[in-house]
């Protein structure tokens, strides 16, 4: 099993920044890709960004504002969010999968964190 723990969420004003972290533990050697998803109230879970084989991928709609990075030595992936908007308000989830190469499909990821709330006030 792989355990994922997110941190860094909170309340921020529009235009502000936050950095989320996700630390993996357990059988981390099976993890090839770590991703970020978000789910706003009443909406489906959507892909935000992924880190796979040292390469960053972000949803087209979020490029330029959201940046994903990873530290393989620490089994940790980060999501730097800037110029935040109220519509970015959601629960942000970290996910891990054993396939190389990112995918936007949630069902491609085997492990999920508990989620961290990000609220952007106007």
């Amino acid at each position: 099993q792989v355990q994922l723990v997110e941190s860094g969420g909170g309340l921020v004003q529009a235009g502000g920044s936050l950095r989320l972290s996700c630390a993996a533990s357990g059988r981390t050697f099976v993890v090839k890709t770590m991703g970020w998803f978000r789910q706003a109230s009443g909406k489906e879970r959507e892909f935000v960004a992924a880190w796979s084989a040292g390469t960053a991928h972000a949803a087209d709609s979020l490029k330029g504002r959201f940046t994903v990075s990873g530290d393989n030595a620490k089994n940790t992936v980060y999501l730097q969010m800037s110029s935040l908007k109220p519509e970015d308000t959601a629960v942000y989830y970290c996910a891990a999968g054993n396939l190389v190469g990112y995918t936007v499909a949630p069902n491609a990821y085997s492990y999920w964190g508990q989620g961290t709330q990000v609220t952007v006030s106007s």
Side-chain angles (χ1 to χ4, degrees):
Q1 285 287 357
V2 175
Q3 295 78 40
L4 302 173
V5 178
E6 304 104 331
S7 60
L11 175 64
V12 64
Q13 289 189 332
S17 299
L18 277 177
R19 189 176 83 152
L20 305 183
S21 299
C22 174
S25 61
R27 301 177 72 238
T28 57
F29 59 89
V30 304
V31 175
K32 305 302 180 185
T33 297
M34 293 184 73
W36 288 98
F37 289 77
R38 67 183 184 183
Q39 188 165 18
S41 181
K43 296 187 177 181
E44 293 187 354
R45 192 166 297 190
E46 65 171 342
F47 173 79
V48 173
W51 177 260
S52 181
T55 303
H57 308 272
D60 287 343
S61 61
L62 300 175
K63 287 179 180 177
R65 296 196 302 122
F66 287 23
T67 303
V68 63
S69 61
D71 185 333
N72 292 335
K74 296 182 178 180
N75 293 313
T76 299
V77 65
Y78 306 96
L79 182 67
Q80 179 68 47
M81 304 182 293
S82 59
S83 300
L84 283 162
K85 305 174 182 180
E87 50 264 43
D88 294 318
T89 295
V91 178
Y92 283 72
Y93 294 92
C94 177
N98 57 11
L99 299 177
V100 176
Y102 85 104
T103 175
V104 305
N107 59 13
Y109 295 82
S110 302
Y111 307 99
W112 291 83
Q114 80 286 355
T116 185
Q117 177 70 46
V118 171
T119 302
V120 184
S121 62
S122 57

